Amino acid sequence: MPPSPSPVPSPFQCRPSASLVSPRGMPWPHPAVPSPTLALAGWCPLSPTGAQTTQLLVEPPWRPAVLWDQVTLTCQGFGTATIWYKDGRRWRQERRDQFTVTESGTYICDRPGTGLSPPVTVSNARLVLQVPVQELLEGDTVTLRCRRWENMSVTGVRFYHGDKEVERSLSGTELSLSPLQLNHSGRYSCRGRVDSEVAPWALSDPVTVTVHELFSVPVLEGPPKLTVESPLNLSCLSTPSPLRPRAPLLHVFYRDGQVVGGPQGSPQLLVPAVGVSHSGNYSCQVHSEGGAVQKSSAQLRIMVCLPVANATINPGPLSHQVHAGDNVTLCCSGQVGSAPVTFTWLHNGQEVAWGPLLELRDINVEHSGTYQCLAINQLGQDGHHVFRALSPELALEVTPGSPWVTVAVNVGRTLLFLLLLLAVIGGCHWWHHRATRKLQDRSTQPVSLSGAPRVSPSPAPPRNPQVTNTELSGHHKGQRDPRDYDDVL
């Protein structure tokens, strides 16, 4: 032990270095000397920021290490001198980069070229839960073991993930997690009977289990729209973990839930020429060799579009003869073509209307001529591909109305006028006759046959302004013969 310990330098950063020298004095890598690895006897060449760092290896490869296992620590990094720290204080300075631990605590080593290593804890607790010293990735198998001090027996072991019990065993002391998934990450601990008079049960300190992605969730890339006979190229993109960049991955492609490609090592799917049947919902799946880890992409809708073709005008045939005043409706359609399709009408080569229907009301001779419709659709991912289909010409001839029809119409109108005139004359005659009868009835006085005639003391006033009453001279004074009155109209 050094007489005057000093604190560990802070912050924990790597120091720049020029090169790594192998034990034989040759720069890494060298064909005759294998380079160090992340395994138990190697070191991680890159840190998360991309710089090479110092590594502290532990043997046996468990964490936390336990003192009764005779733990050996090895410092790897650039430089010739190794500085050791224990529990945050400088512990020894010597060229030796490996030693056997005799005291519990937390150890760090420092190499001049690559700086400080991650810490390694050596425990001497009554009950310890250990995890293998390795980077854990999805699909791996890992075993956690609950151990009593100096390998004494422990019974009634229970394992906890956080506060939740994950397994209870009366005799077993190991917990297997297989295959590893991301949700296995967290803090684990164990509890067991140690048969101590003071405390018969013991609980271990928690240990953190970190499960890394073996590869990212794939993303399927491809054109959402393309035309028939075009090539289709799909890419199933997934990033492998830098901790295991060469892990073999297999790719499977699906359309509407059916396999259309793979399993294959290549993330590409190429269809040289697509047809309408290639439209659908595509997805891809990436899985590890053996299928322990599987991840699927989101669906990608791909539509294979048809260029518009074979535009026609209905009704046929291509020549029509109609009369002035008629109504004509023409319909334009394309036998093939993916929506959206637009229509333009041409009359004698000039645009006159838009839409699938052309309605001509009360036509005249000016509507005569040739008619065509132009069907257009825009395809491709950005609508850059424009396709057009022009229908055959339809000749429309508008003729004036027939002369015989005109004569018949005029004769009918004349007869109707004569009938109305006769009706008016007859009505007037009937009304005049009736009015005359009424005047006669009012102007005639009644005569009594059994007695003397009634004589008015004075002449009666005229009842009708059109009748004039005149008194004639007679032989009897004071009386007049009714015959002496005469109505003058």
Side-chain angles (χ1 to χ4, degrees), residues 86 223 243 303 315 341 358 452 474:
K86 177 179 178 292
L243 300 174
M303 179 181 296
V341 180
L358 176 63

Side-chain angles (χ1 to χ4, degrees), residues 410-433:
N410 292 334
V411 169
R413 291 176 179 176
T414 303
L415 291 176
L416 180 60
F417 175 76
L418 292 176
L419 290 175
L420 292 175
L421 181 60
L422 291 175
V424 170
I425 294 174
C428 292
H429 178 73
W430 174 82
W431 180 84
H432 180 72
H433 177 71

Side-chain angles (χ1 to χ4, degrees), residues 217-220 236-237 282-286 295-300:
V217 175
V219 176
L220 184 62
C236 187
L237 304 179
Y282 285 78
S283 63
C284 71
Q285 183 184 80
V286 179
K295 298 182 182 181
S296 298
S297 71
Q299 288 189 342
L300 173 64

Side-chain angles (χ1 to χ4, degrees), residues 136-170:
L136 303 178
L137 281 82
E138 294 175 298
D140 291 347
T141 298
V142 65
T143 300
L144 284 65
R145 61 184 187 179
C146 189
R147 301 177 65 191
R148 185 181 173 186
W149 180 74
E150 291 188 349
N151 286 331
M152 297 178 67
S153 64
V154 55
T155 59
V157 176
R158 298 179 180 180
F159 294 93
Y160 299 90
H161 183 192
D163 296 330
K164 181 180 179 181
E165 183 177 349
V166 293
E167 182 173 322
R168 178 177 179 179
S169 175
L170 298 178

